[in-house]
Coordinates of all heavy atoms in Angstrom, one line a residue:
S1 N 0.8 -1.2 0.0 CA 0.0 0.0 0.0 C 0.9 1.2 0.0 O 2.1 1.2 0.2 CB -0.9 0.0 1.2 OG -0.1 0.4 2.4
S2 N 0.3 2.4 -0.1 CA 1.0 3.7 -0.1 C 1.6 4.0 1.3 O 2.3 5.0 1.4 CB 0.2 4.8 -0.7 OG 0.0 4.7 -2.1
A3 N 1.2 3.2 2.3 CA 1.8 3.4 3.6 C 3.3 3.2 3.5 O 4.1 3.8 4.2 CB 1.2 2.4 4.6
A4 N 3.7 2.4 2.5 CA 5.2 2.2 2.3 C 5.9 3.4 1.8 O 7.1 3.6 2.0 CB 5.4 1.0 1.3
K5 N 5.1 4.3 1.3 CA 5.6 5.6 0.8 C 5.5 6.7 1.8 O 5.9 7.9 1.6 CB 4.9 6.1 -0.5 CG 5.0 5.1 -1.6 CD 4.1 5.5 -2.8 CE 3.9 4.5 -3.9 NZ 3.0 4.9 -4.9
G6 N 4.8 6.4 3.0 CA 4.6 7.4 4.0 C 3.3 8.0 4.1 O 3.1 8.9 4.9
E7 N 2.3 7.4 3.4 CA 1.0 8.0 3.4 C 0.3 7.7 4.8 O 0.5 6.7 5.4 CB 0.1 7.4 2.3 CG -1.3 8.0 2.3 CD -2.2 7.5 1.2 OE1 -2.4 6.2 1.1 OE2 -2.7 8.3 0.4
S8 N -0.4 8.7 5.3 CA -1.0 8.6 6.7 C -2.2 7.7 6.6 O -2.8 7.5 5.5 CB -1.4 9.9 7.2 OG -2.5 10.5 6.4
V9 N -2.6 7.1 7.7 CA -3.8 6.3 7.8 C -5.0 7.2 7.4 O -5.9 6.7 6.7 CB -4.0 5.8 9.3 CG1 -5.4 5.3 9.5 CG2 -3.0 4.7 9.5
A10 N -5.1 8.4 7.9 CA -6.2 9.3 7.6 C -6.3 9.5 6.1 O -7.5 9.4 5.5 CB -6.0 10.6 8.3
D11 N -5.2 9.8 5.4 CA -5.3 10.0 3.9 C -5.7 8.7 3.2 O -6.5 8.7 2.2 CB -4.0 10.5 3.4 CG -3.8 12.0 3.6 OD1 -4.7 12.6 4.3 OD2 -2.7 12.5 3.2
T12 N -5.2 7.5 3.7 CA -5.6 6.3 3.1 C -7.1 6.1 3.2 O -7.8 5.7 2.3 CB -4.9 5.1 3.7 OG1 -3.5 5.2 3.5 CG2 -5.3 3.8 3.1
A13 N -7.7 6.4 4.4 CA -9.1 6.2 4.7 C -9.9 7.1 3.8 O -11.0 6.7 3.2 CB -9.4 6.4 6.1
K14 N -9.5 8.4 3.7 CA -10.2 9.3 2.8 C -10.2 8.8 1.4 O -11.2 8.9 0.7 CB -9.6 10.7 2.9 CG -9.8 11.4 4.2 CD -9.1 12.8 4.1 CE -9.2 13.5 5.5 NZ -8.4 14.8 5.4
T15 N -9.1 8.4 0.9 CA -9.0 7.9 -0.5 C -9.8 6.7 -0.7 O -10.6 6.7 -1.7 CB -7.5 7.5 -0.8 OG1 -6.7 8.7 -0.6 CG2 -7.3 7.1 -2.2
V16 N -9.7 5.7 0.1 CA -10.5 4.5 -0.1 C -12.0 4.7 0.1 O -12.8 4.0 -0.6 CB -10.0 3.4 0.9 CG1 -10.8 2.1 0.8 CG2 -8.5 3.0 0.6
S17 N -12.4 5.7 0.8 CA -13.8 6.0 0.9 C -14.4 6.4 -0.4 O -15.6 6.3 -0.7 CB -14.0 7.2 1.9 OG -13.7 6.9 3.2
C18 N -13.6 6.8 -1.4 CA -14.0 7.2 -2.7 C -14.3 5.9 -3.6 O -15.0 6.0 -4.6 CB -13.0 8.0 -3.5 SG -12.6 9.6 -2.7
Y19 N -13.8 4.7 -3.1 CA -13.9 3.5 -3.9 C -14.9 2.5 -3.3 O -15.3 1.6 -4.0 CB -12.5 2.8 -4.1 CG -11.4 3.7 -4.5 CD1 -10.1 3.6 -4.0 CD2 -11.6 4.6 -5.5 CE1 -9.1 4.4 -4.4 CE2 -10.5 5.4 -6.0 CZ -9.3 5.3 -5.4 OH -8.2 6.0 -5.8
A20 N -15.1 2.6 -2.0 CA -15.8 1.5 -1.3 C -17.0 2.1 -0.5 O -17.0 3.2 -0.2 CB -14.8 0.8 -0.4
D21 N -17.9 1.2 -0.1 CA -19.0 1.5 0.7 C -18.8 1.3 2.2 O -19.5 1.8 3.0 CB -20.3 0.7 0.2 CG -20.6 1.0 -1.2 OD1 -21.1 2.1 -1.5 OD2 -20.3 0.1 -2.1
I22 N -17.8 0.5 2.5 CA -17.5 0.1 3.9 C -16.0 -0.4 3.9 O -15.5 -0.9 2.9 CB -18.4 -1.0 4.4 CG1 -18.3 -1.2 5.9 CG2 -18.4 -2.3 3.6 CD1 -19.4 -2.0 6.5
I23 N -15.3 -0.1 5.0 CA -13.9 -0.4 5.2 C -13.7 -1.3 6.4 O -14.3 -1.1 7.4 CB -13.1 0.8 5.4 CG1 -13.1 1.7 4.1 CG2 -11.6 0.5 5.8 CD1 -12.5 3.1 4.3
A24 N -12.9 -2.4 6.2 CA -12.4 -3.2 7.3 C -10.9 -3.0 7.4 O -10.2 -3.2 6.4 CB -12.7 -4.7 7.1
M25 N -10.4 -2.5 8.6 CA -9.0 -2.2 8.7 C -8.3 -2.9 9.8 O -8.9 -2.9 11.0 CB -8.8 -0.7 9.0 CG -7.4 -0.3 9.2 SD -7.1 1.5 9.6 CE -7.3 2.2 8.0
R26 N -7.2 -3.5 9.5 CA -6.3 -4.1 10.6 C -5.0 -3.3 10.5 O -4.5 -3.1 9.5 CB -6.0 -5.6 10.3 CG -4.9 -6.1 11.2 CD -4.8 -7.6 11.3 NE -5.9 -8.2 12.0 CZ -6.0 -9.4 12.4 NH1 -5.1 -10.3 12.1 NH2 -7.0 -9.9 13.1
H27 N -4.5 -3.0 11.7 CA -3.3 -2.2 11.8 C -2.5 -2.5 13.0 O -3.1 -2.8 14.1 CB -3.7 -0.7 11.8 CG -2.6 0.3 11.4 ND1 -1.5 0.6 12.1 CD2 -2.5 0.9 10.2 CE1 -0.7 1.4 11.5 NE2 -1.3 1.6 10.3
P28 N -1.2 -2.5 13.0 CA -0.4 -2.8 14.1 C -0.4 -1.8 15.2 O 0.0 -2.0 16.4 CB 1.0 -3.0 13.6 CG 1.1 -2.2 12.3 CD -0.3 -2.3 11.8
K29 N -0.8 -0.5 14.9 CA -0.8 0.6 15.9 C -2.2 0.7 16.5 O -3.2 0.9 15.8 CB -0.4 1.9 15.2 CG 1.1 1.9 14.8 CD 1.5 3.3 14.3 CE 3.0 3.3 14.0 NZ 3.4 4.6 13.3
E30 N -2.2 0.7 17.8 CA -3.5 1.0 18.5 C -4.1 2.3 18.1 O -3.4 3.3 18.1 CB -3.2 1.0 20.1 CG -3.0 -0.4 20.7 CD -1.5 -0.9 20.6 OE1 -0.7 -0.2 19.9 OE2 -1.2 -1.9 21.2
G31 N -5.3 2.3 17.9 CA -6.0 3.5 17.5 C -6.1 3.9 16.1 O -6.8 4.8 15.7
A32 N -5.4 3.2 15.2 CA -5.4 3.5 13.8 C -6.8 3.4 13.2 O -7.2 4.3 12.4 CB -4.4 2.7 13.0
P33 N -7.6 2.3 13.4 CA -8.9 2.3 12.9 C -9.8 3.4 13.4 O -10.7 3.9 12.6 CB -9.4 0.9 13.3 CG -8.2 0.1 13.5 CD -7.2 1.1 14.1
Y34 N -9.6 3.8 14.6 CA -10.4 5.0 15.1 C -10.1 6.2 14.4 O -11.0 7.0 14.0 CB -10.1 5.2 16.6 CG -10.7 6.5 17.2 CD1 -12.0 6.5 17.5 CD2 -9.9 7.6 17.4 CE1 -12.6 7.7 17.9 CE2 -10.5 8.8 17.9 CZ -11.8 8.8 18.1 OH -12.4 10.0 18.6
V35 N -8.8 6.5 14.1 CA -8.4 7.7 13.3 C -9.0 7.6 11.9 O -9.6 8.6 11.4 CB -6.8 7.7 13.2 CG1 -6.4 8.8 12.1 CG2 -6.2 8.0 14.5
A36 N -9.0 6.4 11.3 CA -9.6 6.2 10.0 C -11.1 6.6 10.1 O -11.7 7.2 9.2 CB -9.4 4.8 9.5
S37 N -11.8 6.1 11.1 CA -13.2 6.3 11.2 C -13.6 7.8 11.4 O -14.7 8.2 11.1 CB -13.8 5.5 12.4 OG -13.4 6.1 13.7
Q38 N -12.7 8.6 11.9 CA -13.0 10.0 12.1 C -13.0 10.8 10.8 O -13.5 11.9 10.7 CB -11.9 10.6 13.1 CG -12.0 10.1 14.5 CD -13.4 10.2 15.1 OE1 -13.8 11.3 15.4 NE2 -14.1 9.1 15.3
V39 N -12.3 10.3 9.7 CA -12.2 11.0 8.5 C -12.9 10.3 7.3 O -13.2 10.9 6.3 CB -10.7 11.3 8.1 CG1 -10.1 12.2 9.2 CG2 -9.9 10.0 7.9
A40 N -13.1 9.0 7.4 CA -13.7 8.3 6.3 C -15.2 8.7 6.1 O -15.8 9.1 7.1 CB -13.7 6.8 6.6
T41 N -15.7 8.6 4.9 CA -17.1 9.0 4.6 C -17.9 7.7 4.5 O -19.1 7.8 4.1 CB -17.1 9.8 3.3 OG1 -16.5 9.1 2.3 CG2 -16.5 11.2 3.5
V42 N -17.3 6.6 4.9 CA -18.1 5.3 4.9 C -17.8 4.6 6.2 O -16.8 5.0 6.9 CB -17.7 4.4 3.7 CG1 -17.9 5.0 2.4 CG2 -16.2 4.0 3.8
P43 N -18.6 3.7 6.6 CA -18.3 3.0 7.9 C -17.0 2.3 7.9 O -16.6 1.7 6.9 CB -19.5 2.0 8.0 CG -20.6 2.5 7.1 CD -19.8 3.2 6.0
V44 N -16.3 2.3 9.1 CA -15.0 1.6 9.3 C -15.2 0.6 10.4 O -15.8 0.8 11.4 CB -13.9 2.6 9.7 CG1 -12.6 1.9 10.0 CG2 -13.7 3.7 8.6

């Protein structure tokens, strides 16, 4: 993913919201899905 290039979780979530109706996220950092849910325009 573009995380390898340094993209933030928030930017990934905003981007993927343009392609999908719902997101399932697994992340090694505590709180990352919460951050995604604050900016995504679809359920996380």
Side-chain angles (χ1 to χ4, degrees):
S1 77
S2 287
K5 304 174 187 174
E7 183 175 58
S8 69
V9 165
D11 281 3
T12 299
K14 287 179 188 175
T15 301
V16 175
S17 294
C18 299
Y19 309 139
D21 301 287
I22 187 166
I23 293 170
M25 175 184 284
R26 168 167 288 190
H27 203 284
K29 289 186 179 174
E30 286 86 352
Y34 172 76
V35 170
S37 74
Q38 296 303 292
V39 298
T41 55
V42 300
V44 174

